[in-house]
Amino acid sequence: MALLGKAALAMWWEVEAPHGADFQHWHSHEHFPERLGIPGFRRASRWRQVDGGPGVLVTYELADHSVLSSQPYLDRLNAPTPWSTRMMPLHRHMVRSQCEVLESRGAYAAGHVMSVRLSPRTPETAEALRAALRGLVEALPLRPGINGAHLLRHRPPAIAATTEQKLRGGDRVADWVLLVSGYDRAVLHALDQGELSAPALDGLGATDIAQGLYELAVSAVPQDLQDVSGVTDPLGCAQAAA
């Protein structure tokens, strides 16, 4: 399996420009090491919107779906650090999907990724839509400019709303998620206008379609961050003094 596990977290949100540098520092040097220190978290990746906009895509690849309700993960979600407590309200328009991996082929790490959020139009059309997307997952990684394709489906764990969710004001979810990774941005853009355009996906029986194209900012596995953890909020001392 191309993704490093049988489950994944996929999240989209916006960070307003004045907070961008602070967010990237926190997310790269505190949040990623924290998350990758939790058993079952195998890789963390952050992508930024290609047109310079405020959009962010973050994925965590997980050993299996039980990680999403594990006690070590819940402990972190319900006891955010002071830096996280300051940053969470800056996550605007959060979409957060706790997923099982349905299909995965090829690599995931790449310079660019196209994400497609969608749902089956009706329960009756779900299997036909999945079959069509499975065919795309099998075919796309063989094309020039593309190196992987991955289909996820939201399956929420049976847990209560966490402290981090409450700080953000609640999250929306994406039902199904298709991620197509590649090394040629133009090829992914062509997909967005062609086979994975909203009209094409509508024709396959999909609804609630939202697409985005992103470039890689940071990707890490647990071993990468063992010697760079321990960074603290640079504004913490100033806030304490105030």
Side-chain angles (χ1 to χ4, degrees):
M1 180 174 289
L3 294 180
L4 302 182
K6 299 178 181 179
L9 268 170
M11 295 168 283
W12 301 256
W13 68 87
E14 296 179 357
V15 179
E16 297 175 359
H19 308 293
D22 191 19
F23 160 74
Q24 291 181 70
H25 182 27
W26 161 75
H27 204 255
S28 302
H29 293 112
E30 185 189 75
H31 203 64
F32 266 14
E34 177 190 280
R35 290 302 194 249
L36 289 174
I38 297 169
F41 275 68
R42 292 185 169 176
R43 179 162 58 189
S45 301
R46 185 175 76 249
W47 312 75
R48 56 187 170 230
Q49 194 173 328
V50 295
D51 59 7
V56 174
L57 164 64
V58 172
T59 60
Y60 294 104
E61 296 159 66
L62 310 173
D64 55 54
H65 196 268
S66 68
V67 175
L68 293 165
S69 55
S70 67
Q71 195 59 51
Y73 184 42
L74 294 178
D75 288 345
R76 296 310 321 150
L77 292 174
N78 286 309
T81 68
W83 201 357
S84 292
T85 299
R86 183 168 67 82
M87 296 305 300
M88 285 293 164
L90 304 179
H91 292 48
R92 306 295 187 188
H93 312 298
M94 168 71 81
V95 177
R96 180 173 178 270
S97 293
Q98 301 152 293
C99 300
E100 57 186 343
V101 177
L102 297 181
E103 312 286 345
S104 186
R105 184 172 184 182
Y108 180 53
H112 292 87
V113 68
M114 178 184 179
S115 79
V116 183
R117 308 196 301 258
L118 69 162
S119 299
R121 186 177 297 115
T122 67
E124 291 74 24
T125 61
E127 190 54 43
L129 177 62
R130 178 172 175 179
L133 295 175
R134 182 188 302 119
L136 285 169
V137 169
E138 292 174 353
L140 288 174
L142 304 177
R143 298 186 189 179
I146 300 173
N147 70 334
H150 319 279
L151 180 63
L152 317 175
R153 180 172 59 194
H154 177 59
R155 180 161 68 90
I159 60 174
T162 67
T163 302
E164 286 192 1
Q165 283 180 297
K166 294 173 183 177
L167 286 169
R168 293 190 298 266
D171 305 328
R172 294 181 294 136
V173 302
D175 189 6
W176 292 16
V177 179
L178 178 64
L179 300 170
V180 183
S181 53
Y183 52 89
D184 191 327
R185 172 177 167 177
V187 172
L188 294 176
H189 180 70
L191 276 179
D192 179 68
Q193 303 300 306
E195 289 171 274
L196 296 181
S197 66
L201 293 168
D202 179 80
L204 296 177
T207 188
D208 301 326
I209 301 163
Q211 298 127 308
L213 186 57
Y214 302 85
E215 60 187 6
L216 184 63
V218 179
S219 186
V221 296
Q223 297 90 327
D224 295 332
L225 302 181
Q226 289 176 348
D227 58 349
V228 293
S229 60
V231 177
T232 58
D233 185 353
L235 298 184
C237 293
Q239 289 177 327

